[in-house]
Amino acid sequence: MSSLGSRDRRAIRIGVAVLIAPLVLTLAVRPFGSALEVARDRLEAEASLYRREAALVESAVTMDSLWQTTATTLARVEGRLFSGEAQLAASELSAYAAEVARSSQLLLQTNEVIGAEPLDGGLVAYRVQLAGVGDIVSVVALLLRLETGARLVRVERLTLQRQDGPDLHDGGDGVQLISVEATVAGYGVPTSAPGRERAE
């Protein structure tokens, strides 16, 4: 190098630098870039896994809360259903409706089981037909006690008719009596399907 002129030495140094740059790029920069890309991919995969695990945990908490709410609701409603064999459950509804009518001061004339209808979810709607006579207070009391009472009951149809004639007034006090006809549905889960005959 000492025998070379300054211009030649400069040209050699430039040539060496030009040759070294690709070598540095190949041996250092590219492996580092590849390692960085692998690290980023791994980080994204771990982040995605974490998001899925977090979603599963949140879902499990939500499902557990929903299950607890459902179980509580079922436990509360179960005691209001008419349970047992279908005919027995319908008779229980009839007796319950008669008791509500008596407590409402309604003079009950007929109380007949008129059928049962399977519903979704394994429930059955039992129906009874009531007919009786009372004043407006007893009619309102009947409706309130049936709809908001201890058992799960709904009044599906109601017909009211004024009873004419002086003999239908309460002791001459001017209390107007009303004839009532109502279709009452009660709900239950029977141990045998409605209408199914027992095996002999």
Side-chain angles (χ1 to χ4, degrees), residues 13-28:
R13 285 195 294 270
I14 293 174
V16 169
V18 170
L19 291 175
I20 289 176
L23 185 62
V24 170
L25 179 64
T26 300
L27 297 180

Side-chain angles (χ1 to χ4, degrees), residues 33-197:
S34 298
L36 182 60
E37 185 176 353
V38 169
R40 286 176 178 172
D41 291 342
R42 183 176 300 173
L43 180 62
E44 178 60 29
E46 291 179 355
S48 178
L49 179 61
Y50 171 77
R51 287 193 294 270
R52 288 197 299 270
E53 290 177 347
L56 286 174
V57 170
E58 183 177 357
S59 175
V61 171
T62 302
M63 290 299 294
D64 183 64
S65 176
L66 179 60
W67 174 257
Q68 293 293 336
T69 301
T70 302
T72 301
T73 302
L74 286 175
R76 186 172 62 248
V77 171
E78 186 177 10
R80 303 184 65 200
L81 297 176
F82 297 91
S83 59
E85 191 271 332
Q87 186 175 359
L88 180 62
S91 297
E92 186 182 0
L93 169 62
S94 178
Y96 175 75
E99 177 58 33
V100 172
R102 282 192 293 271
S103 64
S104 302
Q105 303 301 314
L106 185 81
L107 177 60
L108 193 61
Q109 296 172 326
T110 62
N111 179 10
E112 300 176 357
V113 176
I114 59 174
E117 177 188 2
L119 304 175
D120 293 338
L123 289 176
V124 173
Y126 304 103
R127 291 183 175 86
V128 296
Q129 183 76 34
L130 304 179
V133 177
D135 60 17
I136 189 63
V137 175
S138 61
V139 171
V140 171
L142 174 72
L143 294 177
L144 287 176
R145 289 174 179 172
L146 285 174
E147 293 272 357
T148 64
R151 309 304 290 271
L152 191 59
V153 169
R154 186 166 68 94
V155 178
E156 294 184 331
R157 187 183 67 85
L158 180 69
T159 302
L160 304 178
Q161 184 176 354
R162 175 181 174 178
Q163 291 290 314
D164 293 324
D167 57 318
L168 295 178
H169 292 273
D170 184 12
D173 293 335
V175 176
Q176 176 63 54
L177 296 182
I178 302 170
S179 65
V180 181
E181 290 186 1
T183 301
V184 178
Y187 302 92
V189 182
T191 54
S192 64
R196 181 182 299 172
E197 295 182 358

